[in-house]
Amino acid sequence: QVQLVESGGGLVQPGGSLRLSCAASGFTLDYYAIGWFRQAPGKEREGVSCISSRGGRTYYADSVKGRFTISRDNAKNTVYLQMNSLKPEDTAVYYCARERGYYCSGYGSWKYDYWGQGTQVTVAS
């Protein structure tokens, strides 16, 4: 069955870095764009980044542009989110999700059909 499993979260000091991974199984990753989302306590889930099926196009929310980098290795069935210069406001549960097609078409939740269980990222001193 289709599965997305996030890993790599943890506690990091402000200014630090983390790399999240999203391991995909049960489908051919090459055919789908993948998005990263996050949800902080008491806040709505927000789209963070998205990468097209072959990695040719990437998109970032303004809040993370210049600090986060999304990438993918389809041979390893994995999508990554490198997060640098982390801020306390980046604290959230981070999720990856499968877009319904090859290309990123926005962050509306209805555009994504499978979601991972999430990984906690906490930025604090």
Side-chain angles (χ1 to χ4, degrees):
Q1 71 277 23
V2 172
Q3 276 195 311
L4 296 168
V5 179
E6 303 94 338
S7 62
L11 173 64
V12 64
Q13 292 187 342
S17 298
L18 282 174
R19 187 177 81 156
L20 305 184
S21 297
C22 172
S25 61
F27 66 100
T28 303
L29 186 62
D30 306 47
Y31 296 160
Y32 296 92
I34 298 292
W36 282 98
F37 294 77
R38 67 185 181 186
Q39 187 166 22
K43 295 188 175 181
E44 291 187 358
R45 183 169 57 196
E46 64 170 338
V48 173
S49 184
C50 186
I51 186 166
S52 60
S53 62
R54 300 297 177 92
R57 296 193 176 187
T58 57
Y59 303 87
Y60 300 93
D62 288 343
S63 58
V64 306
K65 204 170 292 184
R67 300 187 298 122
F68 290 12
T69 302
I70 192 170
S71 62
R72 64 193 294 157
D73 185 339
N74 287 347
K76 294 184 178 180
N77 293 320
T78 304
V79 177
Y80 305 97
L81 186 68
Q82 177 67 43
M83 307 187 297
N84 298 330
S85 303
L86 283 161
K87 305 175 182 179
E89 51 264 43
D90 294 318
T91 295
V93 177
Y94 283 71
Y95 303 87
C96 61
R98 190 181 81 169
E99 251 266 25
R100 294 180 186 271
Y102 293 102
Y103 302 109
C104 300
S105 60
Y107 296 116
S109 59
W110 65 91
K111 299 177 186 287
Y112 296 82
D113 55 3
Y114 287 93
W115 297 76
Q117 83 291 346
T119 185
Q120 175 70 47
V121 171
T122 302
V123 185
S125 53

